[in-house]
Amino acid sequence: DKFLNLVADDDNLYIRSRYSIYKYSKKYEFVNKFTDSLIICNKFKLDERDGTFDIYGFDDIFLYDDQLLVNLEPNKKGLCFIDKELKSLKYLCLDTIVHDKKVNVAYFQNLFKYGLDYLFSIYFNLYRFNKVTNRFDYLFSNKKFFNHYMINDTTGLQGVRGTYFSNKYGLFRAFEGVNNDSIGKIHNKISQNNLLTFSLLKIDVENCKKEKVNNAFKEKWYISSPLYININSALMQELENKPTVFEDSIIVYAGNFNIIFQTTNLGKTWDFLSYNRGSPKAILNDSTYIFYNELSNHNDVCRSENWGKTFYPSLISDSGSYLSYYSSNKFFYVDDKGKGFFSGTNEEFDWNSRTLKNVSFTYDGFKTIEEVTCKIFD
């Protein structure tokens, strides 16, 4: 078996494994176990540029009233309620109970409190569960408002799917915009897309209105995309996840590849805390770790100055961005004073008639890099 997730109430811990739900007391004493073929989490393959990985997904477990709510894989088309004594299971098929005829791939994603209600995120839309009719009712009276299947929003504030959360101030969702400061300043772009901004929308549920609140985080890093789409905004792709909320104003987004991104004041300021997708390459002065990612078409360099707790991508010194598109890596070197370089060949890449750099130098242990073109490495 394999540990996947857990949730706790005042008295017990409920652990979801690949095959079962385990119940433990707060003293870590085993109480009970529940197993059913419906809740089994299977591996599935994630295809990426640098290989195919076996991962688990749809392994969430939530507290819902006096029950446990368990997420299921999309092909099972539903979710499960399990009593806290782990004796009975109730299955709900989302294909038949969601009030939206256009839903043909309905799977449960998230559950959170909004006032006295629980809100269910089902394929990026929000619903309330009606216990009388045993159905899910769309949250907003205007069925087109924030409806993932009916996007027709002229305000440009549609938001980032899957990022809803609530606190004592109301209901919120993340919003992406364009970082205009980045236009024309980024090296080695292979598409016309710009770097993005990330901010919060406050949602007026009763009147179906929305407004931006506080300030936006301005993206200045290109990172290698975990998927085949949206290379330039891979960071924002990783933030299309449900956030964790602390004390109403601390909002933390965490994604793949050690991405940690947060605001501690409901969006007045933002902190990009970590990203690393590479493998160990060098250690400087015992505390600075250099990691390097050798993808087939582009290379990441990330560094940690706190013994590997968090990592930052290198910044291109004259543009405030980073990413080098090489078809292969040829050399990597850094000395104990932080001076070094890495190089590759750009022979296969001349996208949109752009000449790509193929050598990056550093004088500060890859905190920043300077890119140049050097024919000796072609």
Side-chain angles (χ1 to χ4, degrees):
D1 213 348
K2 182 180 179 65
F3 171 87
L4 298 178
N5 218 326
L6 66 82
V7 69
D9 61 16
D10 292 337
D11 302 311
N12 299 288
L13 293 170
Y14 300 91
I15 297 175
R16 185 171 187 184
S17 70
R18 183 179 178 185
Y19 299 103
S20 305
I21 307 293
Y22 294 85
K23 181 178 179 179
Y24 287 83
S25 71
K26 285 296 180 70
K27 295 181 179 180
Y28 305 106
E29 298 169 334
F30 175 75
V31 177
N32 198 4
K33 172 185 175 181
F34 181 86
T35 302
D36 190 282
S37 60
L38 197 60
I39 66 172
I40 292 176
C41 293
N42 295 301
K43 289 183 180 180
F44 65 94
K45 293 187 180 298
L46 179 64
D47 292 321
E48 301 192 10
R49 289 176 176 268
D50 50 347
T52 300
F53 301 88
D54 289 330
I55 64 173
Y56 294 93
F58 309 100
D59 55 3
D60 293 310
I61 181 171
F62 300 90
L63 295 173
Y64 175 66
D65 287 342
D66 294 324
Q67 305 173 83
L68 302 174
L69 189 149
V70 176
N71 197 5
L72 301 178
E73 296 167 338
N75 64 314
K76 296 174 183 176
K77 299 182 179 181
L79 50 85
C80 288
F81 297 101
I82 301 173
D83 72 289
K84 287 187 176 181
E85 298 302 316
L86 303 188
K87 294 182 178 179
S88 63
L89 176 149
K90 179 182 178 183
Y91 168 77
L92 289 178
C93 178
L94 296 179
D95 278 358
T96 60
I97 59 180
V98 172
H99 275 164
D100 192 335
K101 294 181 179 179
K102 293 190 176 184
V103 175
N104 51 23
V105 182
Y107 60 87
F108 170 74
Q109 295 165 306
N110 193 17
L111 172 74
F112 58 91
K113 290 291 291 288
Y114 173 62
L116 298 177
D117 288 333
Y118 284 92
L119 297 185
F120 293 73
S121 177
I122 302 173
Y123 204 59
F124 309 116
N125 286 347
L126 288 184
Y127 300 86
R128 288 188 176 103
F129 183 58
N130 189 322
K131 295 181 180 179
V132 177
T133 63
N134 209 37
R135 296 178 67 89
F136 286 92
D137 297 326
Y138 194 65
L139 176 63
F140 306 108
S141 58
N142 180 351
K143 296 299 188 293
K144 293 184 178 181
F145 186 74
F146 276 135
N147 192 319
H148 183 65
Y149 303 95
M150 303 179 182
I151 297 176
N152 185 21
D153 187 353
T154 59
T155 66
L157 300 178
Q158 186 61 35
V160 183
R161 62 187 191 178
T163 58
Y164 288 107
F165 68 90
S166 68
N167 56 22
K168 67 180 181 181
Y169 304 110
L171 179 65
F172 294 84
R173 188 182 188 183
F175 166 72
E176 287 181 358
V178 175
N179 181 6
N180 292 316
D181 294 342
S182 72
I183 296 176
K185 297 181 180 180
I186 306 305
H187 283 296
N188 292 3
K189 285 197 302 182
I190 63 170
S191 79
Q192 298 292 344
N193 294 334
N194 296 301
L195 292 166
L196 300 178
T197 63
F198 189 87
S199 54
L200 297 177
L201 294 178
K202 186 175 182 180
I203 302 169
D204 182 342
V205 176
E206 301 302 321
N207 298 305
C208 298
K209 293 182 179 180
K210 56 205 171 184
E211 62 176 345
K212 283 197 289 186
V213 296
N214 294 325
N215 301 311
F217 167 77
K218 293 185 178 182
E219 184 182 23
K220 58 181 179 180
W221 292 274
Y222 283 150
I223 66 175
S224 58
S225 174
L227 301 174
Y228 284 98
I229 58 176
N230 227 12
I231 292 175
N232 294 18
S233 187
L235 170 61
M236 294 306 178
Q237 249 189 75
E238 289 305 310
L239 298 177
E240 289 190 351
N241 298 313
K242 57 189 178 187
T244 302
V245 181
F246 302 96
E247 299 179 354
D248 294 309
S249 295
I250 302 174
I251 318 300
V252 180
Y253 291 87
N256 295 323
F257 313 117
N258 299 302
I259 285 181
I260 307 173
F261 178 79
Q262 72 173 17
T263 174
T264 59
N265 46 28
L266 203 59
K268 292 180 181 178
T269 57
W270 294 89
D271 300 306
F272 177 41
L273 300 180
S274 185
Y275 163 77
N276 178 32
R277 199 186 175 186
S279 301
K281 200 70 176 181
I283 298 177
L284 307 179
N285 304 319
D286 293 328
S287 61
T288 300
Y289 299 166
I290 309 297
F291 276 55
Y292 186 57
N293 183 17
E294 299 182 48
L295 295 178
S296 59
N297 296 333
H298 47 282
N299 312 117
D300 297 332
V301 180
C302 296
R303 65 179 263 136
S304 173
E305 297 178 350
N306 53 15
W307 296 277
K309 292 180 182 178
T310 56
F311 287 82
Y312 279 95
S314 299
L315 288 173
I316 295 177
S317 57
D318 61 348
S319 71
S321 184
Y322 116 104
L323 189 59
S324 299
Y325 285 88
Y326 304 149
S327 60
S328 63
N329 169 254
K330 296 204 170 195
F331 300 99
F332 182 101
Y333 172 80
V334 61
D335 64 21
D336 57 3
K337 295 182 180 180
K339 294 182 180 180
F341 70 97
F342 65 92
S343 68
T345 173
N346 55 20
E347 59 190 8
E348 298 178 14
F349 288 85
D350 187 18
W351 296 51
N352 299 324
S353 299
R354 296 176 185 194
T355 301
L356 302 184
K357 315 290 184 178
N358 68 335
V359 180
S360 292
F361 288 93
T362 183
Y363 300 95
D364 53 15
F366 290 102
K367 189 173 184 178
T368 60
I369 59 177
E370 179 180 345
E371 292 188 306
V372 298
T373 298
C374 185
K375 293 184 179 181
I376 192 172
F377 293 111
D378 281 349

